[in-house]
Amino acid sequence: MGHKINPLGFRIGITEQHRSTWYAKGRKYAELVIADHKIRTYLKDRFKSAAVEKIEIERKTERVTITLHAGRPGVIIGKRGAEIDLLTKTLEQMAGTAVKVNIQEVRKPDIAGQLVAENVAEQLERRGSFRRAMKRAIENAMREGALGCKIKISGRLGGNEIARMEHDMNGSVPLNSLNTNIDYGYAMAHTTAGIIGVRVWVNHGRYADLKKD
């Protein structure tokens, strides 16, 4: 059997929360899905340097609450909150309703799966060695307290004619255990040879052990 299931989708509703929280029927549902996608794409592109890990959207009758989890929240807030005010106005125009923006800091970006994947992809775009990029990312994750880290990259690595897949791993990463907190991240590196996909799994430990701490 192929391992083709998305690790986040596999866990949503069991150990992971939905990234969008709202209810709608029929055509309204489709419209809100597209609106959420546009908001996420806009925020990711605008704050590329802010290390945005994930964006949560909660819709209520009168207001949309958008929570950004970022490694560098200062980039989003700006000087004296000027950037956040401008961002709120732009998002209100996109959403067509009142918007509240919350920002939460990602305290350990080296063990946030999405940020690790984007970091490796950025190094590949700068023509860095893919083996060195993977090894350094795994070492940083293990140093920050991860119980395991696995990275897979696929594409025309090193500009080779034939695409292939390479991976590196350290520690334990049980992908089928729903009682283990596995953080997953995916990013694409746009290189001169083509697109290289980067997938990252980070093991934070069992949920029961995390609650004790």
Side-chain angles (χ1 to χ4, degrees), residues 10-73:
F10 186 46
R11 290 167 173 81
I12 274 186
I14 303 169
T15 56
E16 284 287 332
Q17 298 295 320
H18 286 268
R19 298 291 188 257
S20 293
T21 310
W22 44 262
Y23 179 79
K25 287 184 177 180
R27 185 178 293 178
K28 184 70 175 174
Y29 176 86
E31 289 172 357
L32 292 182
V33 168
I34 293 169
D36 281 7
H37 177 69
K38 286 180 178 176
I39 289 171
R40 284 195 171 91
T41 304
Y42 169 77
L43 291 172
K44 272 284 189 182
D45 291 343
R46 178 167 176 177
F47 299 111
K48 208 168 185 178
S49 60
V52 177
E53 183 199 7
K54 62 183 177 182
I55 300 163
E56 295 175 341
I57 301 173
E58 182 183 0
R59 292 179 182 270
K60 292 186 178 177
T61 313
E62 301 167 352
R63 177 181 282 183
V64 178
T65 303
I66 300 173
T67 305
L68 287 87
H69 297 257
R72 292 188 286 274

Side-chain angles (χ1 to χ4, degrees), residues 140-187:
N140 290 342
M142 298 302 287
R143 193 183 304 119
E144 285 291 334
L147 298 181
C149 181
K150 180 164 81 168
I151 300 177
K152 281 188 179 182
I153 58 175
S154 55
R156 291 180 59 187
L157 305 177
N160 287 351
E161 286 290 318
I162 299 174
R164 70 184 194 276
M165 189 270 290
E166 291 278 347
H167 76 279
D168 200 352
M169 178 178 168
N170 195 349
S172 169
V173 186
L175 299 183
N176 292 330
S177 293
L178 289 174
N179 63 355
T180 305
N181 184 0
I182 303 291
D183 195 7
Y184 172 74
Y186 173 73

Side-chain angles (χ1 to χ4, degrees), residues 81-155:
E83 191 71 28
I84 201 82
D85 295 335
L86 189 63
L87 174 64
T88 303
K89 289 178 183 176
T90 307
L91 291 173
E92 283 178 346
Q93 290 175 355
M94 292 176 68
T97 183
V99 173
K100 182 184 178 184
V101 179
N102 296 328
I103 299 168
Q104 290 190 12
E105 183 183 1
V106 179
R107 298 195 178 278
K108 293 185 177 180
D110 286 333
I111 56 174
Q114 183 62 33
L115 298 185
V116 174
E118 289 177 6
N119 182 33
V120 172
E122 190 180 330
Q123 292 181 57
L124 294 176
E125 287 178 346
R126 295 203 303 260
R127 300 190 179 185
S129 166
F130 64 88
R131 286 194 181 89
R132 193 181 299 120
M134 284 196 297
K135 189 173 182 181
R136 187 182 298 134
I138 290 172
E139 286 175 353
N140 290 342
M142 298 302 287
R143 193 183 304 119
E144 285 291 334
L147 298 181
C149 181
K150 180 164 81 168
I151 300 177
K152 281 188 179 182
I153 58 175
S154 55

